[in-house]
Amino acid sequence: MRFLLTDEQREFGRSLDALLTAADTPAVLRAWAAGDHGPGRALWGRLADAGVFALAVPEAYGGVGPLPVEAAVACVELGRHAVPGPVAETLAAGVLLAGTGGPVAAEWLPGIASGAAMVSLTLEGYGPYAPDADAADAVFTVTGDELRLAPGPGEPSASVDPARRLFRPEPGGAPVAKGPAVRAAARAAGDTAAFATAALALGCGEELLRATVAHVKQRTQFGVPVGSFQAVKHRLADTLLGLEFARPLLYGAAVELASEVSRPGAGTGSAEGSPGAGAAVAAAKVTAGEAGYAAARTALQLHGAIGYTEELDLAWWLRRARPLRDAWGTPSACRARVLAG
């Protein structure tokens, strides 16, 4: 299958790139890591105005989705610019609540679509931590067939990325929905979170490679740019191949998810989910995550000691690559799912 983005999809990506380039995301990241969520929430609102979060929300609740291909385009750009906040989790929450239906969907989905609501969540089987729960307007948890609204973000846990803080949500909270529809919606939400994280990892890797290529072109050794050394060229070429191999898997997973959404009954809470779509998402997740992490290792090696200094903006991308690789499906878990699928 040959897959190409449409002109509208490419223009959507370019418009997000222009928006985020003008937003000075390194400054937003530094503020977010310091506990000042104001600049990040303002940027979140501009992304919502561009339609990013509406992509996971059905039209009945004020969205335009679900549109997995467009969501992939958006998340790659957000990953390239290292946008802070629970992006994958909010998109996944849109799918979770749409599949659950009822009053909780009517209460929260319009806010997710408009950007008024930033949401984090935990799902059974994906670990106990909710990223950026302290900044979120709601933290949803799913255990078995019960969906609960956590009473608080809980205590923070150590995180490699200071602009992606992890919290174990406070236990308790009355169930806001329960039943088989919750269990099915949680499976679809887990796929969405893994898919969005794969796109974020791909974008992160792309930016790391771009910054590294620019650096080796201007850094000199023995009177010539280090980028002219054969060993450096090979390392960069391997990094590029990894990222380019991940890209079609990501968009292939988007096509699978779009096909699943278009099935009769999808989005009503009765859909059990497609094993093929889940395996495609897992393949994209492990490949994009490993490629992004490899790009970080290449960037650190070729930048040398300056790569991890606080003064260099690159450090924010370096510290994000590995958490994105492991979030919403570790490499080993994704490989197991691909084999099972």
Side-chain angles (χ1 to χ4, degrees):
M1 180 178 68
R2 186 168 181 237
F3 180 85
L4 293 174
L5 296 173
T6 65
D7 291 340
E8 291 80 6
Q9 289 164 343
R10 287 194 292 268
E11 181 56 34
F12 179 49
R14 286 191 291 267
S15 68
L16 290 177
D17 178 43
L19 185 158
L20 293 168
T21 299
D24 188 15
T25 52
V28 176
L29 280 164
R30 288 184 167 86
W32 191 273
D36 178 6
H37 301 135
R41 291 299 297 248
L43 178 58
W44 191 276
R46 293 198 291 275
L47 290 170
D49 290 342
V52 170
F53 303 109
L55 295 172
V57 176
E59 292 183 14
Y61 296 99
V64 296
L67 295 174
V69 176
E70 286 76 5
V73 172
C75 286
V76 168
E77 292 302 325
L78 270 60
R80 284 207 311 115
H81 291 274
V83 172
V87 172
E89 293 74 24
T90 296
L91 293 173
V95 172
L96 172 67
L97 298 178
T100 301
V104 66
E107 179 180 0
W108 287 99
L109 285 176
I112 289 175
S114 69
M118 179 184 289
V119 177
S120 192
L121 81 163
T122 66
L123 300 175
E124 196 171 34
Y126 288 99
Y129 298 113
D132 299 306
D134 60 331
D137 300 295
V139 180
F140 290 100
T141 65
V142 176
T143 304
D145 61 359
E146 286 192 345
L147 171 64
R148 296 174 182 267
L149 181 60
E155 292 297 320
S157 298
S159 175
V160 173
D161 182 356
R164 189 178 183 275
R165 302 178 68 197
L166 301 176
F167 292 80
R168 188 187 291 266
E170 292 180 7
V176 294
K178 60 172 61 177
V182 171
R183 191 181 294 270
R187 283 195 290 270
D191 284 345
T192 299
F195 171 72
T197 303
L200 293 169
L202 178 61
C204 180
E206 288 181 347
E207 176 57 20
L208 285 162
L209 178 60
R210 183 208 64 78
T212 305
V213 170
H215 177 72
V216 299
K217 284 182 177 179
Q218 56 187 348
R219 179 185 171 192
T220 60
Q221 194 171 20
F222 309 115
V224 296
V226 298
S228 65
F229 300 159
Q230 197 71 9
V232 172
K233 290 180 179 179
H234 285 172
R235 185 67 184 267
L236 293 170
D238 289 343
T239 302
L240 176 62
L241 284 173
L243 294 168
E244 289 303 315
F245 185 70
R247 191 184 314 280
L249 290 177
L250 176 69
Y251 286 110
V255 172
E256 288 282 354
L257 288 173
S259 299
E260 182 178 347
V261 167
S262 65
R263 288 184 298 109
T268 65
S270 60
E272 288 296 316
S274 164
V281 168
K285 176 63 171 60
V286 66
T287 308
E290 295 281 31
Y293 183 51
R297 291 170 63 91
T298 296
L300 182 58
Q301 181 179 18
L302 298 185
H303 277 82
I306 67 169
Y308 53 78
T309 58
E310 288 287 346
E311 291 76 16
L312 192 68
D313 291 341
L314 184 80
W316 296 98
W317 280 258
L318 287 173
R319 291 180 290 195
R320 180 152 294 198
R322 182 160 184 171
L324 289 175
R325 185 196 71 170
D326 296 337
W328 295 106
T330 63
S332 60
C334 288
R335 289 188 179 98
R337 191 174 186 190
V338 171
L339 291 173

